[in-house]
Amino acid sequence: MACCNKDLCKKESTCLEKCVYVSNPYLTTMKDDILYHFDLGTRTHDLPGMFGDVKFVCVGGSPWRMKSFAQYMNVVLGLGCATADIPDICAHTDRYSMYKVGPVLAISHGMGIPSISIMLHELIKLLCHAKCSDVVAFRIGTSGGIGVQPGTVVVTRVSVDPCFNPCLKQNVMGMTMSYPTALNECLAQEMLKCSKELNKFDTILGTTLCTSDFYEGQARLDGAFCHYTAEDKMNYLRCAYEAGVRNIEMESAAFAAMCNRSGLPGAVLCVTLLDRLQGDQICSSHEVLTEYQERPQMLVGRYIKKKFCNK
């Protein structure tokens, strides 16, 4: 099975120029491909005209965060102001929100692997239908840290499952499929470089634990149900730390696996809102949390600006 994202350190041309994002022979037999959850389609919309110039895709959990990111990129790229009312391309559906600013596409994906997986299927098909090439993908979000200070941005080197295996396992027609979840190392290093240039907050490389749940799946003691002890929790989190895990969230495995399957270079950048070794509840003020959430978008924005201005 083909591994990861292309090597951005290499200068030679890649197969992305031939638009091999999808791997489904049945798509070529369809007269119309309806991207249902985006409220877009190949027959109803001029997808190459709308999206053909996209070079950067950034996804995140909440619609508000993605609109905020689009407005931020409006300023960073000199295309408009931070208060611009950028239209939601998916306004006629209540599943996801999508905003476009120049070559940047920002899309919300909701919470958890099922939600982001649906979105990524339709996003990858959209990029192919729009005849996009050399696209770089990012996921920005929040997470719980393990042994790191709140506010630290963790750039994911590899996403692991709750048993610390570097793969996403998916049941397809009763068969278990396993997909690798390593992310593009060169792109991750670029994110670290951007952080050093900004010199405003700590950014580290680390392994990310991807779970299917916010409470029991992340060994919390504050959910509606808890059948394990506080000692069990701490032992598990310490094992995670020893395995290289520095943060926990719920989408990175699906993002990494689908980047690998499609050939999209991808990076995951999540800010930590707390250190799970110190507790389970997020107690920082709204103002502090808002500032934390801006940190990943600052790194992605700097990377995009450098690439955009070098065109």
Side-chain angles (χ1 to χ4, degrees), residues 11-68:
K11 302 299 183 180
E12 70 261 18
S13 60
T14 71
C15 59
L16 289 180
E17 297 170 356
K18 299 177 183 179
C19 192
V20 293
Y21 297 129
V22 300
S23 179
N24 180 356
Y26 293 100
L27 290 178
T28 60
T29 68
M30 297 170 62
K31 294 181 180 179
D32 182 21
D33 189 6
I34 299 171
L35 308 179
Y36 172 72
H37 300 90
F38 289 166
D39 193 34
L40 297 171
T42 56
R43 181 176 291 178
T44 55
H45 297 80
D46 176 13
L47 298 182
M50 294 173 66
F51 302 102
D53 62 337
V54 169
K55 294 296 182 185
F56 309 97
V57 173
C58 187
V59 304
S62 75
W64 172 84
R65 190 181 300 151
M66 288 299 95
K67 183 173 184 178
S68 176

Side-chain angles (χ1 to χ4, degrees), residues 89-133:
I89 299 171
C90 298
H92 295 296
T93 176
D94 60 357
R95 298 297 181 184
Y96 305 107
S97 293
M98 179 188 295
Y99 304 94
K100 185 177 182 299
V101 176
V104 181
L105 193 63
I107 314 172
S108 66
H109 59 59
M111 292 178 65
I113 287 176
S115 184
I116 192 175
S117 177
I118 294 168
M119 187 280 293
L120 288 173
H121 269 282
E122 297 190 11
L123 168 62
I124 290 167
K125 291 198 297 176
L126 172 62
L127 296 176
C128 190
H129 290 313
K131 297 178 171 55
C132 297
S133 63

Side-chain angles (χ1 to χ4, degrees), residues 78-90:
L79 301 175
C81 64
T83 57
D85 187 18
I86 303 169
D88 181 358
I89 299 171
C90 298

Side-chain angles (χ1 to χ4, degrees), residues 44-221:
T44 55
H45 297 80
D46 176 13
L47 298 182
M50 294 173 66
F51 302 102
D53 62 337
V54 169
K55 294 296 182 185
F56 309 97
V57 173
C58 187
V59 304
S62 75
W64 172 84
R65 190 181 300 151
M66 288 299 95
K67 183 173 184 178
S68 176
F69 175 74
Q71 291 172 325
Y72 176 74
M73 291 309 305
N74 219 22
V75 175
V76 168
L77 299 181
L79 301 175
C81 64
T83 57
D85 187 18
I86 303 169
D88 181 358
I89 299 171
C90 298
H92 295 296
T93 176
D94 60 357
R95 298 297 181 184
Y96 305 107
S97 293
M98 179 188 295
Y99 304 94
K100 185 177 182 299
V101 176
V104 181
L105 193 63
I107 314 172
S108 66
H109 59 59
M111 292 178 65
I113 287 176
S115 184
I116 192 175
S117 177
I118 294 168
M119 187 280 293
L120 288 173
H121 269 282
E122 297 190 11
L123 168 62
I124 290 167
K125 291 198 297 176
L126 172 62
L127 296 176
C128 190
H129 290 313
K131 297 178 171 55
C132 297
S133 63
D134 297 315
V135 178
V136 180
F138 302 92
R139 170 174 136 66
I140 60 174
T142 58
S143 63
I146 299 183
V148 298
Q149 288 295 316
T152 302
V153 175
V154 179
V155 180
T156 302
R157 177 167 271 152
V158 60
S159 176
V160 296
D161 68 13
C163 294
F164 313 135
N165 298 310
C167 63
L168 172 70
K169 292 183 179 179
Q170 182 179 18
N171 189 293
V172 180
M173 297 185 296
M175 298 180 292
T176 300
M177 310 297 292
S178 181
Y179 303 109
T181 49
L183 285 151
N184 189 287
E185 179 68 20
C186 197
L187 186 55
Q189 293 294 339
E190 288 273 6
M191 294 300 103
L192 285 184
K193 182 178 179 182
C194 288
S195 180
K196 291 178 181 178
E197 291 168 354
L198 285 172
N199 194 30
K200 291 184 177 181
F201 47 81
D202 291 334
T203 302
I204 63 171
L205 276 178
T207 296
T208 295
L209 171 59
C210 184
T211 70
S212 59
D213 171 57
F214 184 80
Y215 286 98
E216 292 174 284
Q218 297 186 13
R220 278 186 155 85
L221 303 176

